Amino acid sequence: MTTPLLKVDDLRVRFRTMGPLKALAKGVPDPYIDAVCGVSFDISEGETLGLVGESGSGKSTIARAIMGLVPAESGSVSFAGTDLTALSPRRFAPYRRDMAMMFQDPVGSLSPRLTVRSLITEPFRIHGTGDRDLDQEARRLLKMVGLNEDFARRFPHQLSGGQARRVGVARALALNPKLIIADEPTAGLDVSVQGEILNLFARLQDELGLAILIITHNLNVVRHITDRMAIMYLGRFVEQGPTEEVFYTPRHPYTEALLSANPEPDPDAVLDRIAISGEVPSLMNRPSGCEFHTRCLYAQGKCRTEAPVLTEAGESHSFTCHYPLTTAHTGRTKAAS
Amino acid sequence: MSTAEDSGGTRRKTVGDGAFMQHLRQLSRDQLGMLGLILVLLIVLGAIFADWIVPYDPLKIYAGPRLAPPSWEHWFGTDQLGRDVLSRVIAGGRVALQVAIATLAAALSVGLLLGLIAGYGPRWLDNALLLLFDAVRSFPIIIFALAVVTLIGPSLYTVILVVAITSIPNYARIVRTQTQAMRTNEFILAERAMGAGPARILAIHILPNVIGPLLILASMDVPLVISVEAGLSFLGMGVKPPTPSWGTILNDGYSYIRNSPWPVIAGGIPIILVTLGFTFLGEALRDIFDPKLRKDL
Amino acid sequence: MSAASDPLLDVRGLSLDFGSPRGRIHALRNVSLEVGAGRVVGIVGESGCGKSTLAYSIIGLLAANAEVVGGEIVFSGRNLIGLPDSEMRALRGREMSMIFQDPMTALNPVQTIGAQMLAIQYRDAVPTREKRRRAVEMLAKVGIPDPESRLKAYPHQFSGGMRQRICIAMALLVNPSLIIADEPTTALDATLEVQIVELLKDLQKDMGCSILFVSHHLGTVAELCDDVVVMYAGEVVERGSVRDIFHAPSHPYTEALLECDPGRIRQKTRELPTIPGDVPNLIDVPDGCIFRSRCPKAFDRCAREAPAPRRVSGGHEASCHLLDELAEAAP
């Protein structure tokens, strides 16, 4: 087995909630929230991993930690063997050519006063272009993402959501990265346009051998485009494995709940819904034991007191639960499927 | 799409259906704004071409009635030395504009720089700069002017220096607030993710977005600056005689107000017009550039 | 649609323009739909189709540059177009209420929940004690735990899902006959969305009001609504009962939309269906069928003539020339 392209090992990220003086005054011993609590995964070349979770689960934070935008408290992020967390900003800089990120807000992640041409050639200007003809590069990139050449002169506010997304992809591809991190690539896009972006990812992956990390809360997207997926809750992975396997035989109750919270566009679909009650607890008030126990249908005594350990279930499929599900997930089945 | 922008941040405009023409058209629909534009143009052109349009030499003393009321020969009458007041008023516009432009240019550039640094830099730097701004702002202008005058004597440069320094904190604060707000925007995060350093981010991505409102605010400060100059000159801390400035005209007229009210009125009128003109224009520009009021988005 | 008695809301041929520097945007063109008493009607469509504009024109909260250029909105027998402001205000928050998309900004951040919930009952001549009781009762109904003490809390102390529930409680508090919900679940995670939908279903059965539910989530609409209206680029292209629309879509756009929904696609695929092309320019509305440029089944008649709504079955209509052809072909 070759070294994976990206290897994240026991990553932890904390954020300060208040300054040291205020914490002292209020008697708060540990004024931090743990956004990411010991997450491990890896992505090989040409592979797509989906990170799934609700808002506040920490998935965007992981992406930012990988890109060096937020500091890691502990753990490591290795890219092609090198530990990025140990590098100074200056030494980190060249790696930004190999990893590119696309952000959630398609138009908001584009600098409003620059033309599309300037936006997609920005990576060249930052990292030094040598003698490259930027106009030519811009044309090449636009073509790669399926946009007409005259988009080069447009401004972000003149683009539709789908077009702005493509510009984001073009910009991410500028320096031929090996890994692309896409934060909610289909959010805000109409259903008829979502497919365009996802198909684009699939094509680019086939053509360029890209590794892709997709962050989303949309399980439908995950199913079609990822090889493996990881489900997050309150900063931890609760389940991780090959997509089809996790979809059809989920082991963790949260995974099951997420899968059934997917309304089907069919009024006659039998609602075999696992109702998940309540809301995600605040990161400042983490439940004891298994953190999901407050919303879990199957919670029992042990779940309240003891945190579950990582269990393997078949090849590269793991989960953390005391009482994992054993039957195949039937989800919501139509009367005649 | 005729407004092109390279990433150096400079705007090259071509006439046509680009943003500039569109803004001009929008301005033409705002009546007060147009009035403001006309007034401003009048004053600016008057100042530039003063030498050619003055009916008399503003410095020359004419043998004739002193403190005369307006007449066909002297539209604003004459002052206490027999000089034509109208000519002095027109020439005084030059001083006013010189002060305004120099002051605002200096205050804007320094304020912009400091504001960007305060807004984007580390907390301690921000706190230090805020302390500096507040210190400068807490100084009453007149006292500060007195101190400067004592050091370098009264002159046009004194006025410019004083007004510039006292204007910097306001602009810096505005830039700082906007920078801070923009710092967490996604496109800034995206730039950082690509490896852009703070200098690049400030110069190319933040500066162009904060400068618009700043310029409009500055244009609305022009009458204020001119009034301050007039005030300082009135108090004898600014331009020295016989150079005409609106402040000195007011000052002279004030001494002789019992003999003739006309010099005071004449000195006051341009200040009123300038204030109205720049205020109307500034507000109209602000409405045009405020994206929330734009209907084409 | 249910036409047993006069519908509660009857939009007839509504056309609306927005003024803009580049010309008039014909945002709504000849839109007709009905909401029967006690029915849940969903409006589905994608960005720019005008569904939110339609919702706002019914409740009368349009921007200053909007102009109704034709049609009527008949609510409980009265035409809302041209109704004086004072009468419109009497309707809003009484017989008609609205739930907005963003729970974060829909509540006043500087007032407690209790104050806001009491304030909207201002028209009722009952003592404050009674208003409080009603507020607490409604909060309990929408699932806010410990409602009595929560009245003193401020909006920022609640999570997004809770805030949306509070907004729903406020909308129902005045016991309206019609609730207009503009994408109320779009800003929420899937698990919360499911909860809100269940809540709306239960409340609607309990209180018997009608709901006009605007959304682009097909799954949610399928689950919640009795009737569905499909909009595209400012026009209604198809309407019918929820089963008509989802099981027997008769307009090519509806068919395409359903195909594109990744939730519907059973087999894992790397090549997802899309609708190629862009929504047409609404300043210069093209002749003929509005969907023609993106329709896989278009033929020459579509370019010349805009199709009129044609009956597919009782209460199910679609605006497509193909239906004519089918009718002609049938014996």
Side-chain angles (χ1 to χ4, degrees):
Chain A
M1 191 153 114
T2 50
T3 327
L5 185 64
L6 181 75
K7 187 170 165 60
V8 175
D9 193 25
D10 202 29
L11 180 68
R12 272 170 214 278
V13 181
R14 324 184 80 191
F15 290 116
R16 252 211 126 91
T17 46
M18 56 181 88
L21 283 176
K22 194 169 171 190
L24 200 64
K26 286 196 166 188
V28 176
D30 196 32
Y32 287 93
I33 51 168
D34 295 290
V36 180
C37 318
V39 152
S40 305
F41 64 91
D42 45 55
I43 306 182
S44 308
E45 273 188 38
E47 193 183 19
T48 308
L49 173 70
L51 265 189
V52 180
E54 292 174 288
S55 311
S57 55
K59 44 196 206 297
S60 289
T61 310
I62 292 182
R64 287 169 196 199
I66 296 174
M67 293 295 294
L69 293 171
V70 301
E73 176 78 15
S74 68
S76 69
V77 175
S78 304
F79 187 83
T82 318
D83 184 3
L84 298 177
T85 51
L87 297 179
S88 69
R90 169 99 63 78
R91 313 275 306 280
F92 194 111
Y95 287 94
R96 296 192 189 279
R97 283 184 244 182
D98 296 322
M99 303 188 297
M101 184 156 171
M102 287 169 54
F103 290 80
Q104 206 164 331
D105 186 346
V107 176
S109 56
L110 303 175
S111 195
R113 285 179 188 259
L114 299 187
T115 55
V116 164
R117 174 203 172 277
S118 299
L119 286 164
I120 59 186
T121 51
E122 179 84 351
F124 293 116
R125 265 183 288 263
I126 294 176
H127 290 274
T129 66
D131 295 319
R132 285 198 244 208
D133 178 353
L134 292 180
D135 282 314
Q136 202 174 29
E137 294 291 337
R139 278 195 291 272
R140 172 181 73 92
L141 290 167
L142 284 173
K143 188 154 172 218
M144 222 191 263
V145 299
L147 283 175
N148 205 316
E149 262 183 34
D150 35 81
F151 273 91
R153 280 177 282 131
R154 290 214 200 167
F155 288 91
H157 69 266
Q158 295 168 314
L159 301 171
S160 73
Q163 291 161 347
R165 274 269 179 253
R166 288 173 190 258
V167 171
V169 177
R171 177 170 70 179
L173 293 173
L175 297 176
N176 288 326
K178 303 202 183 64
L179 168 71
I180 288 198
I181 302 178
D183 193 349
E184 302 277 9
T186 56
L189 294 184
D190 289 323
V191 159
S192 64
V193 181
Q194 277 182 18
E196 287 177 11
I197 297 299
L198 297 176
N199 292 343
L200 179 61
F201 276 155
R203 182 166 61 81
L204 290 170
Q205 195 169 48
D206 291 338
E207 279 174 26
L208 306 172
L210 282 173
I212 305 181
L213 174 64
I214 288 197
I215 298 169
T216 180
H217 63 267
N218 189 337
L219 281 168
N220 292 318
V221 164
V222 168
R223 195 165 131 237
H224 289 289
I225 193 146
T226 58
D227 302 310
R228 311 184 66 248
M229 61 192 265
I231 318 282
M232 280 192 78
Y233 190 76
L234 284 183
R236 288 185 221 274
F237 279 7
V238 297
E239 186 160 2
Q240 197 189 148
T243 305
E244 285 299 288
E245 215 177 292
V246 174
F247 250 85
Y248 287 107
T249 49
R251 307 306 295 275
H252 196 284
Y254 182 56
T255 314
E256 184 190 49
L258 279 183
L259 289 170
S260 75
N262 229 352
E264 250 187 58
D266 183 350
D268 283 335
V270 169
L271 297 187
D272 186 13
R273 177 163 287 151
I274 311 300
I276 184 169
S277 62
E279 298 192 17
V280 182
S282 159
L283 284 170
M284 298 201 253
N285 268 331
R286 302 184 87 106
S288 57
C290 169
E291 288 173 342
F292 184 59
H293 84 255
T294 54
R295 301 167 82 193
C296 184
L297 274 185
Y298 312 105
Q300 297 179 39
K302 192 154 99 169
C303 305
R304 262 156 251 165
T305 51
E306 212 179 298
V309 290
L310 191 67
T311 321
E312 302 283 329
E315 181 158 339
S316 68
H317 185 173
S318 60
F319 57 89
T320 52
C321 182
H322 291 305
Y323 305 101
L325 308 167
T326 46
T327 51
H329 165 70
T330 47
R332 300 171 51 192
T333 45
K334 199 179 158 181
S337 178
Chain B
M1 256 44 82
S2 49
T3 308
E5 191 158 55
D6 61 58
S7 63
T10 49
R11 258 207 145 129
R12 285 173 284 126
K13 295 185 210 82
T14 54
V15 181
D17 63 344
F20 184 64
M21 284 311 285
Q22 206 175 45
H23 290 143
L24 211 55
R25 250 178 276 134
Q26 225 179 325
L27 179 60
S28 62
R29 275 179 239 145
D30 183 343
Q31 287 171 326
L32 277 182
M34 285 310 282
L35 178 61
L37 183 63
I38 292 172
L39 285 174
V40 168
L41 280 176
L42 258 174
I43 290 165
V44 169
L45 291 174
I48 296 175
F49 296 111
D51 289 333
W52 287 275
I53 59 174
V54 283
Y56 299 89
D57 181 339
L59 302 177
K60 192 158 167 193
I61 297 170
Y62 290 90
R66 314 226 174 128
L67 296 171
S71 63
W72 274 120
E73 293 97 16
H74 299 279
W75 292 7
F76 273 179
T78 57
D79 71 358
Q80 76 282 10
L81 293 180
R83 297 175 291 199
D84 177 43
V85 175
L86 175 63
S87 310
R88 284 180 69 77
V89 165
I90 295 175
R94 179 173 281 170
V95 169
L97 273 165
Q98 278 177 318
V99 170
I101 292 173
T103 307
L104 288 174
L108 277 175
S109 36
V110 176
L112 188 60
L113 189 64
L114 290 180
L116 286 174
I117 294 173
Y120 200 76
R123 203 79 182 284
W124 60 266
L125 189 55
D126 182 27
N127 287 337
L129 283 170
L130 275 179
L131 204 61
L132 184 65
F133 299 155
D134 286 340
V136 173
R137 277 199 321 171
S138 58
F139 244 85
I141 270 194
I142 310 291
I143 310 288
F144 185 52
L146 265 175
V148 175
V149 164
T150 322
L151 285 174
I152 66 175
S155 75
L156 194 57
Y157 301 108
T158 311
V159 175
I160 292 176
L161 188 66
V162 167
V163 182
I165 290 181
T166 48
S167 307
I168 287 173
N170 281 331
Y171 296 138
R173 284 205 131 207
I174 289 164
V175 171
R176 170 186 172 273
T177 316
Q178 297 218 314
T179 305
Q180 275 186 333
M182 219 176 275
R183 188 178 176 173
T184 49
N185 276 357
E186 271 200 12
F187 69 90
I188 299 290
L189 206 57
E191 291 295 325
R192 282 178 57 210
M194 286 190 276
R200 184 182 179 85
I201 289 180
L202 284 173
I204 293 175
H205 300 284
I206 294 189
L207 194 152
N209 288 303
V210 305
I211 207 164
L214 195 66
L215 286 176
I216 292 172
L217 271 160
S219 78
M220 285 166 70
D221 274 347
V222 168
L224 184 72
V225 165
I226 292 178
S227 304
V228 172
E229 177 274 317
L232 289 176
S233 301
F234 178 75
L235 291 172
M237 296 192 249
V239 188
K240 296 184 80 165
T243 320
S245 99
W246 295 338
T248 53
I249 295 173
L250 274 174
N251 190 2
D252 296 342
Y254 170 74
S255 317
Y256 293 94
I257 198 167
R258 255 167 262 152
N259 304 60
S260 170
W262 296 107
V264 168
I265 295 174
I269 285 180
I271 297 181
I272 294 174
L273 289 179
V274 156
T275 307
L276 284 177
F278 275 96
T279 307
F280 290 154
L281 183 61
E283 287 193 357
L285 285 177
R286 187 197 57 207
D287 287 346
I288 291 174
F289 283 100
D290 186 340
K292 284 184 217 112
L293 295 170
R294 269 203 269 185
K295 299 209 183 95
D296 60 345
L297 284 177
Chain C
M1 305 247 192
S2 67
S5 50
D6 276 338
L8 175 69
L9 176 72
D10 191 359
V11 178
R12 299 180 193 152
L14 180 68
S15 296
L16 187 137
D17 286 348
F18 282 110
S20 87
R22 284 169 294 147
R24 309 202 89 184
I25 302 175
H26 306 293
L28 293 176
R29 297 184 305 286
N30 208 6
V31 168
S32 297
L33 63 87
E34 286 170 16
V35 178
R39 305 278 287 180
V40 180
V41 175
I43 306 186
V44 294
E46 305 193 295
S47 321
C49 71
K51 54 192 195 298
S52 285
T53 308
L54 179 58
Y56 279 81
S57 31
I58 294 171
I59 198 149
L61 290 176
L62 289 166
N65 60 339
E67 191 189 330
V68 174
V69 293
E72 307 180 306
I73 300 178
V74 180
F75 180 70
S76 291
R78 292 153 80 190
N79 185 2
L80 300 182
I81 311 278
L83 206 63
D85 273 347
S86 53
E87 290 189 44
M88 197 65 212
R89 262 181 277 137
L91 275 181
R92 273 186 226 128
R94 225 302 132 77
E95 298 186 37
M96 215 193 263
S97 62
M98 189 148 177
I99 303 170
F100 296 88
Q101 181 170 343
D102 189 359
M104 307 295 152
T105 52
L107 294 169
N108 187 338
V110 298
Q111 277 192 326
T112 61
I113 302 297
Q116 296 185 52
M117 290 186 84
L118 290 179
I120 57 172
Q121 300 179 62
Y122 75 99
R123 290 187 192 112
D124 294 340
V126 292
T128 312
R129 213 181 330 121
E130 170 64 16
K131 294 184 187 172
R132 285 202 77 203
R133 192 196 62 77
R134 284 189 200 162
V136 169
E137 189 184 331
M138 197 51 80
L139 284 179
K141 257 197 194 160
V142 299
I144 304 278
D146 201 11
E148 187 79 54
S149 66
R150 296 305 257 160
L151 282 181
K152 294 187 224 109
Y154 287 88
H156 68 264
Q157 293 171 296
F158 292 90
S159 66
M162 287 287 166
R163 266 184 263 194
Q164 197 60 304
R165 288 172 191 263
I166 293 171
C167 290
I168 293 175
M170 284 173 70
L172 287 168
L173 199 53
V174 296
N175 212 348
S177 36
L178 175 68
I179 295 184
I180 302 175
D182 184 17
E183 307 251 23
T185 54
T186 302
L188 302 172
D189 283 324
T191 47
L192 286 175
E193 185 173 7
V194 156
Q195 291 175 4
I196 299 289
V197 167
E198 292 287 328
L199 178 65
L200 282 173
K201 268 203 277 194
D202 292 337
L203 288 171
Q204 193 268 329
K205 279 201 193 67
D206 189 27
M207 305 191 68
C209 50
S210 304
I211 302 183
L212 188 63
F213 192 84
V214 176
S215 177
H216 64 267
H217 283 178
L218 294 171
T220 311
V221 169
E223 202 178 311
L224 181 65
C225 303
D226 303 314
D227 305 307
V228 176
V229 173
V230 181
M231 287 187 71
Y232 179 76
E235 292 182 15
V236 171
V237 295
E238 186 167 359
R239 52 180 174 141
S241 78
V242 66
R243 272 173 195 80
D244 290 336
I245 300 293
F246 282 92
H247 289 166
S250 307
H251 192 282
Y253 176 62
T254 316
E255 287 170 4
L257 202 59
L258 289 171
E259 257 174 46
C260 286
D261 192 28
R264 253 220 170 175
I265 301 163
R266 299 252 138 243
Q267 279 293 91
K268 172 170 170 158
T269 172
R270 292 274 274 186
E271 187 73 36
L272 290 159
T274 66
I275 304 181
D278 288 311
V279 181
N281 182 339
L282 293 185
I283 293 178
D284 234 331
V285 180
D287 293 326
C289 175
I290 191 74
F291 187 56
R292 175 182 47 96
S293 58
R294 301 170 80 187
C295 181
K297 305 182 185 172
F299 53 100
D300 18 291
R301 190 174 167 203
C302 305
R304 294 189 315 260
E305 199 186 315
R310 284 162 177 68
R311 259 181 69 141
V312 176
S313 66
H316 183 184
E317 296 182 344
S319 306
C320 181
H321 290 308
L322 287 171
L323 294 170
D324 262 356
E325 313 285 310
L326 280 175
E328 279 160 28

